[in-house]
C-alpha cells in the first residue's frame, strides 16, 4: 500500500557560514552560564538561610 505520489523529504543541509555556528555556540554558552548562575544563586540563598 505505497502511495505513488509520496516523495521522501529532501535532506536539509544546515547553513555553512561561520556566523551561524558562532551564534549557535554563543547561545549554548549563554545557556550554560545562566544555568550555572541560577544554581550558584540557589546555593547562596540556601547557605544564608541555613547558616544565617
Amino acid at each position: 500500500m505505497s502511495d505513488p505520489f509520496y516523495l521522501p523529504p529532501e535532506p536539509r543541509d544546515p547553513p555553512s557560514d561561520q556566523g551561524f555556528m558562532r551564534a549557535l555556540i554563543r547561545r549554548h554558552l549563554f545557556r550554560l552560564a545562566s544555568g550555572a548562575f541560577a544554581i550558584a544563586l540557589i546555593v547562596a540563598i540556601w547557605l544564608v538561610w541555613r547558616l544565617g
Side-chain angles (χ1 to χ4, degrees):
M1 283 183 96
S2 64
D3 187 3
F5 296 108
Y6 174 74
L7 291 175
E10 296 179 10
R12 293 189 323 150
D13 293 330
S16 60
D17 61 322
Q18 292 297 325
F20 175 76
M21 289 305 293
R22 282 191 195 128
L24 196 66
I25 292 170
R26 189 178 303 129
R27 190 179 329 146
H28 186 68
L29 289 176
F30 177 74
R31 288 179 65 195
L32 284 174
S34 62
F37 177 74
I39 290 173
L41 187 62
I42 290 170
V43 168
I45 290 171
W46 182 81
L47 282 174
V48 167
W49 173 73
R50 191 76 174 143
L51 301 177

